[in-house]
Amino acid sequence: GQINNKGLEIAITAIPVKAKSFTWSLTAIFSRNTNKLASFSNQLYEMSEIYTGYDGDDIKTYTQRIIEGESIGNFYGLKWLGFSKDGSENIYEDIDGKEGITDNDRQVIGNAYPDFTYSLQNTFTYKHFDLSFLLRGSQGNDVLNISRLHYEGFGYFGGKNVLSSTLDYPNYQGGVIYSSRFVEDGSYLKMDNVTLGYNVPIKKNDYLSKVRIYLTGQNLFTITKYKGIDPEISLSGLEPGIDWATFYPRTRTFTFGVNITF
């Protein structure tokens, strides 16, 4: 097969403020990338599409489709329009014009890849102090929330725990059905790290040339509308953007250190 990628990356580095005892420097990065499956086939094999992202744990359905001429990472399923007035039934978009909802009503309901990503690195220095932080974000990426798909409903009640959000629609007693209801906007903004440092003033001597004390915090907060643990899901391979139940949460860490230069 052949996949074509096209993208743009812009990086700006600047020093907005440079005074006698205070300096502010920053680096801003914006990037955008699109991909397209140009072809699957060659002289020996002919193939126009494959289904991937298989959820074999009770759902037993493919969640993504890769087709020539379209992007990798397309979620493919029923488009959920909401619940019926009494909340007992799902309502899906009927696109084939025939009575009832069938596999022919499945359509593209999202894409795992972001419209663009961005980051902003700031560094401030004032006399012997320095402060730096990195903000990083992604916009327009969709995430399949497998935990909601499995546990937001009374279909699993009794054998497994259900999410508290199940009680938002207590009248729905039906089974678990994969649809756009569980494909969420995974856009996010993260504070990756913050470091505060202090360079201890040292008189010139034969033993020490520099002593720096610092405190660093990593993965401090995430701003997102995503209902799962973390919207930053792997985009590698042929089934990107799926928040499998095996995902291990990223930890928040704090580090205190001293750098001594002799």
Side-chain angles (χ1 to χ4, degrees):
Q2 177 180 332
I3 300 175
N4 295 335
N5 285 274
K6 295 181 180 180
L8 171 71
E9 182 172 283
I10 300 173
I12 299 175
T13 300
I15 302 178
V17 178
K18 187 176 179 66
K20 182 178 180 180
S21 56
F22 177 76
T23 302
W24 169 29
S25 61
L26 65 85
T27 298
I29 299 176
F30 170 90
S31 63
R32 172 176 169 80
N33 182 77
T34 59
N35 71 76
K36 182 179 180 180
L37 178 64
S39 66
F40 258 142
S41 305
N42 57 24
Q43 296 178 349
L44 295 178
Y45 302 99
E46 287 196 15
M47 180 167 51
S48 61
E49 67 180 21
I50 63 171
Y51 288 85
T52 185
Y54 185 69
D55 183 2
D57 187 10
D58 297 329
I59 308 301
K60 293 181 172 53
T61 188
Y62 291 96
T63 60
Q64 296 182 346
R65 184 180 71 163
I66 304 174
I67 186 171
E68 285 185 345
E70 296 184 3
S71 171
I72 305 294
N74 277 340
F75 292 103
Y76 192 73
L78 299 175
K79 183 177 180 180
W80 187 71
L81 301 180
F83 285 106
S84 58
K85 290 184 177 181
D86 61 1
S88 63
E89 295 182 2
N90 290 298
I91 301 176
Y92 302 105
E93 184 176 30
D94 189 343
I95 62 175
D96 66 357
K98 298 180 180 179
E99 184 178 355
I101 299 299
T102 66
D103 284 344
N104 294 328
D105 296 310
R106 289 161 63 91
Q107 58 184 296
V108 175
I109 53 177
N111 186 273
Y113 291 99
D115 297 329
F116 60 87
T117 60
Y118 57 94
S119 67
L120 179 64
Q121 173 75 51
N122 282 277
T123 301
F124 304 91
T125 59
Y126 176 70
K127 294 184 178 181
H128 299 292
F129 291 93
D130 60 83
L131 173 67
S132 64
F133 64 87
L134 173 63
L135 289 168
R136 182 173 55 84
S138 176
Q139 185 66 39
N141 54 297
D142 293 313
V143 179
L144 172 55
N145 191 331
I146 289 290
S147 294
R148 283 189 59 219
L149 175 61
H150 286 184
Y151 305 125
E152 190 173 277
F154 287 108
Y156 274 64
F157 188 75
K160 300 177 181 179
N161 290 329
V162 296
L163 298 176
S164 61
S165 52
T166 302
L167 300 178
D168 294 339
Y169 308 97
N171 291 333
Y172 180 70
Q173 303 292 324
V176 181
I177 302 174
Y178 165 64
S179 71
S180 63
R181 176 187 173 191
F182 306 104
V183 177
E184 303 180 33
D185 179 8
S187 302
Y188 62 84
L189 173 64
K190 290 190 172 189
M191 176 67 81
D192 259 6
N193 63 71
V194 176
T195 297
L196 175 63
Y198 178 70
N199 294 297
V200 180
I202 295 178
K203 294 182 180 180
K204 187 176 181 180
N205 60 71
D206 296 332
Y207 304 103
L208 295 178
S209 61
K210 184 179 180 180
V211 176
R212 182 173 182 271
I213 303 171
Y214 67 91
L215 176 64
T216 297
Q218 294 180 301
N219 191 33
L220 295 181
F221 65 78
T222 301
I223 299 175
T224 183
K225 294 182 179 179
Y226 181 61
K227 298 178 181 179
I229 296 176
D230 191 337
E232 189 176 5
I233 303 302
S234 172
L235 297 179
S236 62
L238 296 179
E239 47 185 41
I242 301 177
D243 189 0
W244 299 107
T246 54
F247 175 79
Y248 191 82
R250 295 174 177 86
T251 58
R252 179 181 296 113
T253 61
F254 296 93
T255 304
F256 175 78
V258 179
N259 291 331
I260 301 176
T261 304
F262 296 94

